[in-house]
Amino acid sequence: GGAGKSAFQQLVGAMMGLTQTLNESEFSDESLFALRTKMIKASGGAMVAPTEEEEQLTNRVCGACLGVATAISQQPFFQKVFMLVVLKLQEQEAQQDHLAL
């Protein structure tokens, strides 16, 4: 349970658990490729691993990774950094537009 823990502490715990799962799991090359494809497409159905056991593992890991990524994106520090990057990109675009005139 996460009773008494801050959202950030829960997130760190989830990341540590995910790291442990990845370190303890033996993925075949085909399963790793399936996992990468699932992650990139953010869909457990994007590709099927070679065996049912590997399919279950890749889907479980994919779901956990997507959950952690979503939780990180909701953190105030991430939102601040994201907005800083967006502003810098907008500034660069404005400078390039100015140079093109």
Side-chain angles (χ1 to χ4, degrees):
K5 290 186 177 181
S6 71
F8 187 76
Q9 288 172 320
Q10 290 176 22
L11 176 58
V12 170
M15 290 169 54
M16 290 173 56
L18 184 55
T19 300
Q20 183 177 356
T21 298
L22 290 170
N23 286 333
E24 292 173 353
S25 301
E26 293 186 21
F27 291 97
S28 66
D29 289 344
E30 296 85 2
S31 289
L32 278 176
F33 184 76
L35 179 58
R36 284 187 198 106
T37 303
K38 291 169 188 280
M39 292 301 304
I40 290 168
K41 296 186 180 221
S43 169
M47 183 170 193
V48 177
T51 68
E52 182 61 31
E53 183 178 317
E54 290 173 314
E55 177 68 6
Q56 290 175 4
L57 176 60
T58 57
N59 282 339
R60 186 167 43 93
V61 170
C62 179
C65 287
L66 293 173
V68 167
T70 299
I72 289 171
S73 73
Q74 300 305 308
Q75 293 295 310
F77 76 87
F78 181 89
Q79 294 173 350
K80 287 177 186 175
V81 170
F82 182 81
M83 288 311 300
L84 178 64
V85 170
V86 169
L87 291 173
K88 291 293 183 186
L89 290 172
Q90 288 174 337
E91 287 174 12
Q92 286 179 353
E93 185 177 349
Q95 288 174 352
Q96 288 176 353
D97 287 346
H98 177 69
L99 293 175
L101 297 177

